[in-house]
Amino acid sequence: MSTPAAAGAAASVEDQDGSSAAVAASAADGAKTAPLPGEPDAAAVEASWPAAQKTQGQSDLKTPELYLNRELTWLKFNFRVLNEGRDRRTPLLERIKFLAIAASNMDEFFMKRIGGLKQQIGAGVHKLTVDGRTPGQQLEECRIVMAEFRRQQRETFVDVLRDLKQQNIRVIPFARLSREEQAAVREHYYENIFPLVTPLAMDPAHPFPFISNLSLNLLVTLRFPHETRLTMARVKVPVGGGVPRLLRVGTANHFVLLEDVMRNCLQDLFPGMEIESTELFRVTRNANTLRGEEQADDLVAMIEAELRDRKFAPIVRLEVEQGIDPNHRGMLAAELGLDEELDVYETDVMMSMRDLFEIARLDVPSLHDTPHHPIDNVLLQDRDNIFHIIRESGPILLHHPYESFATSVVRYVQEAAEDPKVLAIKMTLYRTSADTLIIDRLIDAAHNGKQVAVVVELKARFDEAANLRWANRLEEAGIHVTYGVLGLKTHCKLILVVRRDYNGLRRYCHIGTGNYHAGTARLYCDLGMLTCDKEVGLDLTELFNYLTTGCRPARAYRKILAAPNLMKKMLLAKVEREIGHQAAGTPGLIRFKCNALEDADMVEALYRASRSGVKVELIVRDTCRLRPGIGGVSETISVISIVGRFLEHTRIYYFHNAGEEEYFIGSADLMSRNLESRVEVVVPVEHPGLRRELHAVLETQLNDKRSAWEMNADGSYTQRRPRPGHKDRSCQEALIEAAYLRAERAKRLRKVKPRAFARRGPKPPS
């Protein structure tokens, strides 16, 4: 999920796991759902084990049947997102939002995952995944699941439109508008959109035109009067750049699709011609166009070339409207280099449902979630110097979006830019936005004579062009810009500030789980920590030296766990330590909260922990290879997925450690790419008060009965339901309420805080 809206929708996705049987039940029933096609059930796996293994309660923990497929488990997540569009407990315009998110997610899945599988097949790759599938098998099974997704998506769309109609929110065919309405819409079209439309002929003198990624297009068939020969043209529907897909009709919340208007105004594009037919189509291109970084003399030039490559990348999907002329369908597939049977998808409802965000943003408060206004962190509500607050209060844990990003992280950078005692600012930048203002504050810092160094990740998927612009702007301001370590993405979220305090230089740090992006900070659940811990500051100094030089000597970090060299080893070692405590008679407990659990070594380690009796509680948003509840393998493991109003993006790693508890937060998911080929950081949270806050977050989510989906042993999910008579409230609603209560308590304490009054001294002698 690349945009804030799309991600916030899953905002970063599963209804009933894509099974026909589950679909028959109402979304409100919360029944156990069947595995996706190709996913074995728990009984089948256990039956396949040798008798001796079953007797001993042991198994080969590398057995492919113990590992779920990455692509299929992500598709399950998107069914969970779609379910929020089906669930009538969700406000109506929020349901539209989730429908748009699920569609946007699927577009990205085709661009990244289907495109990648097709590349592997084209390259002749036959290597099996850890779950025992070839690229071809994965693609075939994905197609089966995606067909079920499209069926449920259509069903949800029709259902939601029916409910919108009851609220007098309508999408009306142009032909059903009154004459006056048609005239008004035509006038708006001719004044504001028609000049942007460019028809392109297709004939021997005009080859098949370039079709841009995710664009909507009209295939127009026409003829000259009194002639039998047909000619064809392509007309792009110019959505974007301020042109909406849904044009308002009158003053009510009534809309007509832009392509529908264009169909009825083609005579002005082709004067004197007879229009035989118009057919809508849309293409999706592969986004995997990365070049070999090791051979690149100039990384910036390489990224610019990759962006050009992506524009012209192979097409992986063609969507057409139902009823298209079979000859036209075949012609499009052939011109676009697609298999007509496998890569062409017909639909009889709205194409590109991601544009439903335009309806989801309607200002009808009763059809939205209750507005949420982030509080200021209670320790940052005073306007004292933020560095004095951090130094005097100790580390501060930030909870976004429950607490304001602007009055914490942006304030931290702004005050660093303005504070005359601040000497240097170092930062990693993966994604940001213009309204975040952090770029402006960094430029202010450079103008104020401070040393500023920024590590910009140019390969942040779908944000490469934006990051190139940010890098250029920073360099123009005299800021030291580097692009990280060759061959590794810089994914960690860090800001290091060096300040001359009253007793010497002191390092202040922000370590986060999310991007420095104001938009996603309002939609993603993330954590951050502000600290001036000496050892953490020394560690970040070492890390930034690594990032800005690329030198790779072994670095002895004192507290942080950094990937790719240390984090995975340390996390696996801590799992083994928990197994040792369990064997020594002290009950073990592991709790992980992350977006994805894909790394096979980590899954195997958790299986070993469960087999030894360690309790393992996992909160995994989307991809999860591990299967809980299998006898002799994962009986003590539970897995839930939270899908709600905000996109769950926090990473928390907890180990009981025989009572010497350990908590870590940071940027890394439990995926091989994060642990082995990215620069990631997780930091220990040692302050008792902050640990209590993290414990409360985990407990709240583990006990959720509204937004939590529980994974079954066969890989399917069951949505939890509150007990009869209990409040139907999600963990996110509970955390919103907890934030408001913190703010109210802080407000009351400030009111009763004793005030000191200055006393006038004795009058000096005259």
Side-chain angles (χ1 to χ4, degrees), residues 110-111 114-115 118 284-286 314-318 338 343:
F110 268 91
M111 293 163 64
I114 299 299
K118 285 194 161 199
T284 309
R285 290 183 178 271
N286 187 359
I315 291 170
V316 295
R317 176 179 61 170
L318 169 64
L338 298 174
D343 299 323

Side-chain angles (χ1 to χ4, degrees), residues 740-755:
Y740 289 159
L741 289 174
R742 288 197 301 274
E744 284 299 315
R745 283 196 296 268
K747 185 178 179 181
R748 288 196 297 270
L749 287 173
R750 285 199 303 275
K751 284 182 178 179
V752 300
K753 185 177 179 180
R755 298 180 180 179

